[in-house]
Amino acid sequence: MLPGRLDLTWIVLIGLALATVLVPSLVTRPLLGNALLLTFAALKGRRIVLDFLDLRAAPALWRGLVSAWVVIVLLFAWSVSAVVALI
C-alpha cells in the first residue's frame, strides 16, 4: 500500500522536526544555524499550508501569495537574528 499525500507530509514534517533538533548541536556558526532552522520552519509551514489547508488545489494566485508570505516572514526573522548576532 502506497502512502497518501498526507502520510508523506507527516513523514516529511517529522524528518524536518528531527533535523531542527539536530542543527544546533551540529552547526557552530550562529547565522548559518539560524538560516537552516528558519528554512526548515518555512518548509514545514509550506507543507502544512499546501496539504493540510488544501491550498494545493487552490488557484495559483493564492498559492503564490501564501508562499510569498512564508518567505517574507522567513526573511524578516533571519534579518532580525542576523542583526542580533552582529551586535
Side-chain angles (χ1 to χ4, degrees):
M1 181 161 134
L2 294 173
R5 180 169 300 282
L6 291 181
D7 295 332
L8 184 61
T9 297
W10 269 111
I11 293 168
V12 169
L13 289 175
I14 291 170
L16 287 170
L18 292 174
T20 301
V21 171
L22 294 176
V23 164
S25 62
L26 297 177
V27 179
T28 58
R29 299 180 68 193
L31 289 178
L32 179 62
N34 287 342
L36 279 172
L37 290 174
L38 290 171
T39 302
F40 292 158
L43 289 172
K44 289 189 286 188
R46 191 161 193 282
R47 289 299 292 236
I48 289 169
V49 166
L50 288 179
D51 292 331
F52 290 106
L53 297 180
D54 205 24
L55 208 60
R56 194 174 297 275
L61 176 67
W62 283 106
R63 286 193 311 271
L65 287 173
V66 173
S67 295
W69 174 74
V70 169
V71 169
I72 289 169
V73 170
L74 166 82
L75 290 175
F76 178 73
W78 188 81
S79 64
V80 169
S81 70
V83 167
V84 169
L86 294 175
I87 292 179

